[in-house]
Amino acid sequence: MTESPSYPRSLWRSALPPAVVYDRHWALWAVGANSLTARLRAASSTFRVQLLGQKRAVPLRDEWRCLGMAGPAETVARFLDMYREIALRKYGYEAQSDKIGWCAPMYVAETDKQAIDEARPHIETMFNVLLPKASELMFFPPGYLSPESLQAVMAAKKGNRGNVTIEQLIERGIIVCGSPDTVRRTIKDMHNRMGFEELMCMLMFGSMPAHLSEKNIRLFAKEVLPAVKSLTPSNYRGFELPRVAAE
């Protein structure tokens, strides 16, 4: 797995000639794989941006990437395959693993029981207290999604907020939690199903205090990250167009 390139902030504030801008490699992520708008935008490979100092927006060609975020594993996998289908059917190219990302809360401890006990109050606070109180405008400001996509996203998230337990979140694949061996095995299984090359780990969530966050980060880096780095596209089960559900 590879790391995304970083770009100097000064590039956005300059008035460089368009030819120089066109030569840049832009890493652009469409976040929210369960949104049809996000999947269409990611698969289109076309983006228009107006840099500061430019009088008009210019088209930039890029390999758009699609990020599946903190949802049930089966749902994320299904919608990432829909993204692959749109790329193939509508735009005529095959979306490789470097265009796929997955984001989820993760917690590692010495044993499965200890991990669940330590993460429980903080992940359950996140899903049962904090997220239900947050305005949807915080996550989906006007214009971010089409009305149809917003309805689909809200329907998908309805069952993931309020009165949920950490056991339910683990079972649905919304959070990865357990011993180093459990977390390594789960990420490998998710990679086999989704084929992502970019992994975004939420190693601090909800009400988690600093000392548990630091412990989680250190254990993940020492016991899990080496196995994650060894994953390659060959570990992915592969995408077969006939198996993709219709929109």
Side-chain angles (χ1 to χ4, degrees):
M1 303 181 74
T2 60
E3 297 181 359
S4 299
S6 59
Y7 305 102
R9 184 176 296 273
S10 59
L11 178 62
W12 292 87
R13 298 184 177 276
S14 65
L16 297 174
V20 176
V21 176
Y22 294 157
D23 288 340
R24 300 290 298 188
H25 176 77
W26 296 81
L28 304 171
W29 286 90
V31 179
N34 54 347
S35 158
L36 177 60
T37 302
R39 297 197 304 275
L40 286 171
R41 183 176 297 155
S44 70
S45 298
T46 303
F47 183 61
R48 294 185 67 85
V49 64
Q50 185 169 359
L51 301 178
L52 294 180
Q54 298 284 347
K55 293 184 177 180
R56 61 185 178 84
V58 294
L60 299 177
R61 193 72 177 175
D62 182 70
E63 295 179 356
W64 268 94
R65 301 171 184 184
C66 195
L67 179 68
M69 283 195 66
E74 289 298 333
T75 301
V76 173
R78 182 170 69 252
F79 281 113
L80 287 175
D81 275 351
M82 288 182 182
Y83 157 63
R84 290 182 173 95
E85 180 188 19
I86 292 170
L88 192 58
R89 289 188 185 276
K90 189 175 179 64
Y91 298 103
Y93 73 93
E94 184 176 348
Q96 301 293 333
S97 291
D98 63 346
K99 296 174 185 169
I100 303 293
W102 179 49
C103 172
M106 301 189 183
Y107 192 81
V108 191
E110 287 74 8
T111 65
D112 288 349
K113 183 180 184 304
Q114 184 177 347
I116 291 174
D117 290 343
E118 291 178 355
R120 180 188 300 280
H122 313 298
I123 196 68
E124 291 183 1
T125 294
M126 178 178 172
F127 279 88
N128 296 331
V129 179
L130 301 179
L131 288 179
K133 291 182 178 180
S135 168
E136 295 305 332
L137 292 177
M138 174 181 173
F139 301 101
F140 311 115
Y144 184 79
L145 298 176
S146 68
E148 295 79 9
S149 289
L150 181 59
Q151 290 178 357
V153 170
M154 296 308 300
K157 292 184 178 297
K158 186 176 181 180
N160 299 329
R161 296 182 184 180
N163 299 317
V164 296
T165 66
I166 188 172
E167 287 84 3
Q168 292 171 326
L169 296 172
I170 292 172
E171 182 180 1
R172 297 174 189 171
I174 296 175
I175 178 177
V176 179
C177 181
S179 67
D181 184 61
T182 295
V183 173
R184 287 192 299 265
R185 188 169 60 249
T186 302
I187 293 176
K188 184 176 180 180
D189 177 62
M190 296 298 186
H191 181 267
N192 176 262
R193 294 154 68 184
M194 301 179 191
F196 55 83
E197 187 168 307
E198 304 286 346
L199 177 63
M200 183 182 297
C201 308
M202 299 170 60
L203 299 175
M204 182 277 172
F205 43 78
S207 56
M208 184 175 293
H211 72 279
L212 285 183
S213 300
E214 180 178 354
K215 175 188 174 185
N216 189 26
I217 292 169
R218 291 185 181 279
L219 265 178
F220 186 92
K222 180 180 179 181
E223 302 292 343
V224 179
L225 190 57
V228 173
K229 288 184 175 181
S230 70
L231 295 175
T232 68
S234 64
N235 299 112
Y236 173 46
R237 61 175 169 78
F239 168 64
E240 296 183 15
L241 192 58
R243 294 184 181 179
V244 180
E247 287 285 352

